[in-house]
């Protein structure tokens, strides 16, 4: 097993399960089933290597073996929550990234989630904050709180219950004992780090509530097509029009996806002919359906009144005076990946595994796909992973 010293952690952890491993789809299924090297990985997180395309590490939390929430770290900004789907799309379109899988305990996992999802009640440099006064306030109020100590991009945490520090986690050592750390020892640690020239930023959180990501699978863990395939499956887009013009194009990011006039809708349309919760887009047996949610004026698909309808690419759903044109997109995992390019010549026709160079005509990104894929489809259209431009490979004669 990888030693602690090989890891430069962003968050604390208790042990290393895998280090610098490619993001292969099977790893996530092994976590779910508790098999192979991932058998003990019930609570923890994985984080991408720092030398990825945009320089921002991405991370994914696991709760009882299932993907629970995700985020990324933006330089000079901090933590930003993203969807579970966004995480998997990122590793699908960046196959050269590497992942560290790090175990935690449930309390530590919850603490990191608080940092991701909540805003601190108090924050600032340890040089200017009166930490003793803040701690006395916690103790007198017998408050539950999380204290984050952030230094050089690493997050250290102290979890307080009823004003007493019961657990402490630091990024440069294993998890402390469950007895926690005395407050005066914490102050000594801050002073020692500051005296060595390392500025320490302090954030105190009193709201410790957390939530799973929108796409978290509640209850029994069922992921059709595997965990990786489930989160990178094709998701539709809606082109929203009123009577005269196109208003916007919006992606359906999760199911059910609610259309309505109320604040609880995922797509809010200010239209008196639309109910507060008018219709929903849902997934059924891998197919996209639209369902009327008991609206006053109903829904129409291709001008036909319906209560529920299985949608195809190009169908038009009408709610009130708005039209929603359905675009069934390809899965990001199926898009062009950037491998080392090949060259098309006569000898490659004999090798079905040969990789053919493909260049995006919009942004000149170079990638490749197999000769078999290129020649076996009568109608092939590629979406560039960099600029999202769709194009037919040069020299291909596409039949209609």
């Amino acid at each position: 097993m990888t030693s602690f010293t090989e890891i430069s952690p962003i968050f604390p952890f208790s042990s290393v399960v895998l280090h610098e491993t490619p993001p292969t789809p099977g790893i996530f299924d092994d976590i779910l089933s508790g098999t192979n090297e991932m058998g003990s990985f019930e609570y923890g997180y994985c984080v991408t290597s720092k030398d990825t395309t945009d320089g921002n590490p991405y991370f994914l939390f696991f709760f009882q073996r299932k993907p629970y929430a995700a985020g990324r770290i933006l330089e000079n900004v901090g933590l930003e929550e993203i969807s579970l789907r966004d995480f998997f799309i990122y590793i699908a379109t960046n196959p050269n990234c590497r992942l560290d899988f790090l175990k935690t305990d449930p309390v530590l996992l919850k603490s990191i989630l608080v940092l991701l999802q909540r805003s601190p009640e108090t924050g600032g440099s340890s040089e200017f904050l009166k930490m003793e006064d803040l701690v006395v306030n916690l103790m007198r109020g017998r408050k539950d709180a999380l204290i984050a100590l952030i230094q050089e991009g690493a997050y250290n945490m102290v979890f307080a219950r009823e004003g007493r520090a019961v657990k402490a986690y630091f990024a440069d050592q294993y998890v402390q004992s469950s007895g926690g750390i005395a407050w005066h020892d914490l102050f000594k640690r801050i002073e020692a780090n500051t005296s060595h020239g390392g500025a320490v930023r302090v954030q105190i959180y009193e709201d410790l509530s957390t939530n799973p990501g929108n796409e978290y699978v509640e209850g029994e863990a069922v992921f059709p097509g595997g965990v990786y395939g489930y989160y990178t499956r094709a998701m539709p887009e809606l082109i929203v029009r009123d009577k005269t013009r196109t208003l916007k194009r919006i992606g359906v990011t999760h199911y059910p996806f609610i259309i309505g006039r109320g604040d609880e809708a995922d797509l809010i349309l200010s239209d008196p002919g639309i109910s507060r919760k008018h219709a929903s887009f849902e997934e059924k047996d891998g197919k996209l359906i639209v369902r009327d949610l008991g609206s006053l004026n109903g829904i129409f698909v291709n001008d036909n009144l319906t209560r529920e309808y299985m949608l195809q690419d190009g169908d038009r759903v009408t709610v009130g005076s708005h039209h929603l044109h359905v675009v069934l997109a390809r899965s990001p995992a199926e898009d062009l990946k950037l491998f080392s390019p090949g060259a098309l010549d006569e000898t490659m026709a004999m090798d079905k595994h040969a990789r053919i160079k493909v260049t995006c005509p919009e942004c000149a990104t170079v990638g490749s796909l197999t000769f078999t894929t290129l020649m076996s489809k009568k109608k092939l259209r590629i979406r560039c992973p960099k600029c999202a431009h769709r194009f037919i490979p040069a020299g291909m004669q596409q039949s209609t």
Side-chain angles (χ1 to χ4, degrees):
M1 180 175 288
T2 303
S3 68
F4 175 85
T5 56
E6 294 180 60
I7 303 291
S8 297
I10 298 167
F11 307 118
F13 62 92
S14 59
S15 63
V16 184
V17 180
L18 287 177
H19 175 51
E20 287 289 308
T21 188
T24 55
I27 293 177
F28 303 100
D29 293 327
D30 287 346
I31 294 173
L32 185 66
S33 60
T35 55
N36 298 325
E37 294 176 279
M38 312 308 294
S40 62
F41 198 81
E42 186 173 8
Y43 299 96
Y45 63 92
C46 66
V47 59
T48 62
S49 51
K50 294 184 180 180
D51 56 346
T52 50
T53 302
D54 62 5
N56 299 314
Y58 285 61
F59 52 89
L60 173 69
F61 298 117
F62 295 86
F63 180 81
Q64 294 181 335
R65 304 190 184 281
K66 294 185 293 185
Y68 189 82
R72 62 176 178 167
I73 301 176
L74 301 177
E75 189 174 359
N76 301 322
V77 176
L79 306 182
E80 177 187 59
E81 188 170 15
I82 62 173
S83 69
L84 296 172
R85 176 175 168 82
D86 283 343
F87 175 86
F88 282 96
I89 288 176
Y90 176 79
I91 63 173
T93 53
N94 290 273
N96 293 325
C97 75
R98 293 294 179 263
L99 299 174
D100 289 336
F101 286 84
L102 309 170
K103 289 177 61 176
T104 69
D105 65 51
V107 174
L108 175 54
L109 188 66
K110 178 180 175 65
S111 298
I112 303 173
L113 280 168
V114 169
L115 301 185
L116 180 65
Q117 297 179 346
R118 306 259 66 89
S119 296
E121 276 71 25
T122 304
S125 170
S126 61
E127 183 180 358
F128 301 105
L129 287 178
K130 294 183 178 180
M131 283 294 297
E132 292 87 347
D133 292 346
L134 294 173
V135 169
V136 167
N137 180 52
L138 293 177
M139 295 176 67
R140 286 178 175 173
R142 299 179 64 83
K143 295 180 180 179
D144 294 348
L146 176 68
I147 300 176
L149 309 173
I150 307 164
Q151 184 179 27
E152 297 180 348
Y155 288 75
N156 310 281
M157 283 165 279
V158 178
F159 186 78
R161 177 164 293 162
E162 295 184 349
R164 185 172 63 90
V166 294
K167 287 196 178 235
Y169 308 91
F170 296 100
D172 62 351
Q173 65 187 78
Y174 281 114
V175 177
Q176 294 273 22
S177 67
S178 59
I181 184 171
W183 288 120
H184 70 271
D185 290 336
L186 175 64
F187 298 147
K188 287 181 180 179
R189 185 181 180 92
I190 294 174
E191 289 173 1
N193 289 345
T194 304
S195 65
H196 285 90
V200 178
R201 186 157 47 95
V202 179
Q203 293 178 341
I204 299 180
Y205 300 79
E206 295 182 29
D207 181 355
L208 304 183
S209 60
T210 60
N211 302 291
N214 284 337
E215 306 126 309
Y216 173 68
V217 176
E218 295 281 0
E220 186 179 355
V222 178
F223 296 89
V227 176
Y228 180 92
Y230 177 81
Y231 285 111
T232 59
R233 70 197 190 281
M235 298 290 281
E237 294 180 315
L238 303 175
I239 300 174
V240 184
R241 291 182 54 86
D242 62 12
K243 293 180 179 179
T244 60
R245 67 193 190 284
T246 298
L247 302 178
K248 59 184 171 180
R249 183 167 180 151
I250 184 172
V252 175
T253 57
H254 59 275
Y255 297 113
F257 191 83
I258 308 298
I259 311 298
R261 186 165 43 85
D263 293 339
E264 63 271 34
D266 297 297
L267 173 58
I268 300 174
L269 299 173
S270 299
D271 183 334
I274 295 177
S275 301
R276 293 186 62 81
K277 293 179 70 174
H278 194 105
S280 69
F281 288 89
E282 302 174 16
E283 192 176 44
K284 184 176 181 181
D285 299 326
K287 302 294 184 180
L288 178 67
I289 66 170
V290 63
R291 188 193 307 275
D292 187 1
L293 297 179
S295 65
L296 181 62
N297 295 315
I299 60 174
F300 295 79
V301 177
N302 303 328
D303 298 326
N304 296 310
L305 181 65
T306 184
R307 298 287 299 175
E308 181 180 312
Y309 190 88
M310 185 177 295
L311 295 163
Q312 303 293 326
D313 189 41
D315 282 342
R316 183 180 70 254
V317 178
T318 302
V319 290
S321 61
H322 286 75
H323 304 294
L324 312 175
H325 295 261
V326 177
V327 179
L328 298 184
R330 285 167 52 88
S331 165
E334 297 173 356
D335 287 341
L336 176 67
K337 304 295 192 304
L338 300 183
F339 300 109
S340 57
L344 179 59
D345 58 34
E346 293 182 356
T347 61
M348 283 191 172
M350 304 298 294
D351 181 4
K352 65 180 180 180
H353 299 296
R355 302 205 67 86
I356 312 304
K357 178 180 177 181
V358 178
T359 302
C360 174
E362 187 72 15
C363 68
T365 295
V366 177
S368 66
L369 68 168
T370 64
F371 181 86
T372 300
T373 301
L374 191 65
M375 296 303 176
S376 64
K377 296 186 178 182
K378 294 181 178 179
K379 195 170 185 178
L380 177 66
R381 185 176 294 269
I382 294 173
R383 182 169 64 178
C384 174
K386 184 174 182 180
C387 70
H389 176 65
R390 294 177 184 271
F391 64 96
I392 298 171
M396 290 288 292
Q397 297 296 322
Q398 302 290 306
S399 61
T400 57

